[in-house]
Amino acid sequence: MLRNRTLEQYMKEHLSLYIFVGVIFVTGVVFGAVMVNALSLEQKQEITRYLGNFFSIVTQGGLESGTASSIKESFTMHIKWVLIIWLLGLSVIGLPLILILDFLKGVLIGFSVGYMVGTLSWKGLLFALVSVVPQNLIVIPLLIICSVSAISFSILLVKNRFISRKGTLYEPFMRLSGTILASGFMLIGVAVFEAHVSPVMMKWVAPMLITMPPS
């Protein structure tokens, strides 16, 4: 009962931040998808050639899977975002930079999925569903949770320094650090999934995409 009340209180205090960060991320996704239309013909042809080579490598089994290096690479890529958000949350000027990071993450995902769908139609959507979507179903909520926690701490830091010096920041700092640590453990699972499962799913779908329509 106490835990439910604590969760309810937490959501009441942070719901507006979750909505705001979510809107920033979705705006980034939309912006990234729209960017696809702004590419020149040469840029589209270059990306299409790169994707064609990548699909051939995946089909031929040339993509590393299940190795320690692939797990480390995937984990490092994800944990960098979380650690940067944590560090920015510890600074007074970190709040807008955290929002910029969330926007950029949305842009990356929106551009990736938008290009594949725009170029390859339903086949591109299928490839996106096996290569981009699964891990991001975990990664994106984790980034939003970490962002809200870091923004909350940054706001407390500003209040403590410039408005009121009452109270201590020890407990909020430990909550933020605990959130980052828990996210790190979950990202290990994401890295293992990307290293072991994603290459297998991509190998199923890639043969349909080797012969791609011209951009």
Side-chain angles (χ1 to χ4, degrees), residues 23-72:
V23 169
I24 292 293
F25 172 77
V26 172
T27 302
V29 172
V30 174
F31 185 81
V34 171
M35 278 180 59
V36 175
N37 297 324
L39 293 175
S40 66
L41 179 60
E42 291 77 12
Q43 289 172 324
K44 289 184 178 179
Q45 288 174 340
E46 183 65 27
I47 297 175
T48 299
R49 281 195 294 270
Y50 171 81
L51 287 176
N53 293 333
F54 177 74
F55 295 146
S56 298
I57 292 172
V58 172
T59 302
Q60 295 166 9
L63 190 66
E64 279 191 350
S65 62
T67 63
S69 61
S70 61
I71 294 174
K72 181 181 178 181

Side-chain angles (χ1 to χ4, degrees), residues 79-91:
I79 199 64
K80 281 180 180 178
W81 287 85
V82 171
L83 291 178
I84 292 173
I85 288 172
W86 177 63
L87 290 174
L88 290 175
L90 300 180
S91 65

Side-chain angles (χ1 to χ4, degrees), residues 10 13-14 18-20 23 28 33 42 51 75-76 84 99-100 102 104 112 140 163 175 192 198:
Y10 174 83
E13 293 175 354
H14 297 85
Y18 276 105
I19 293 174
F20 184 63
V23 169
E42 291 77 12
L51 287 176
F75 176 74
T76 301
I84 292 173
L99 296 176
I100 290 173
D102 292 328
L104 290 177
S112 301
I140 297 308
I163 300 175
R175 285 197 297 268
V192 172
S198 290

Side-chain angles (χ1 to χ4, degrees), residues 145-158:
I145 291 171
C146 290
S147 296
V148 170
S149 298
I151 290 171
S152 298
F153 185 82
S154 184
I155 292 173
L156 287 175
L157 189 61
V158 171

Side-chain angles (χ1 to χ4, degrees), residues 136-184:
N136 280 300
L137 290 176
I138 302 296
V139 172
I140 297 308
L142 286 179
L143 289 180
I144 290 177
I145 291 171
C146 290
S147 296
V148 170
S149 298
I151 290 171
S152 298
F153 185 82
S154 184
I155 292 173
L156 287 175
L157 189 61
V158 171
K159 289 180 178 179
N160 187 267
R161 284 194 177 184
F162 302 108
I163 300 175
S164 172
R165 295 182 179 274
K166 295 179 181 180
T168 175
L169 293 175
Y170 176 76
E171 288 187 10
F173 172 76
M174 293 305 296
R175 285 197 297 268
L176 171 60
S177 300
T179 299
I180 298 300
L181 185 61
S183 298

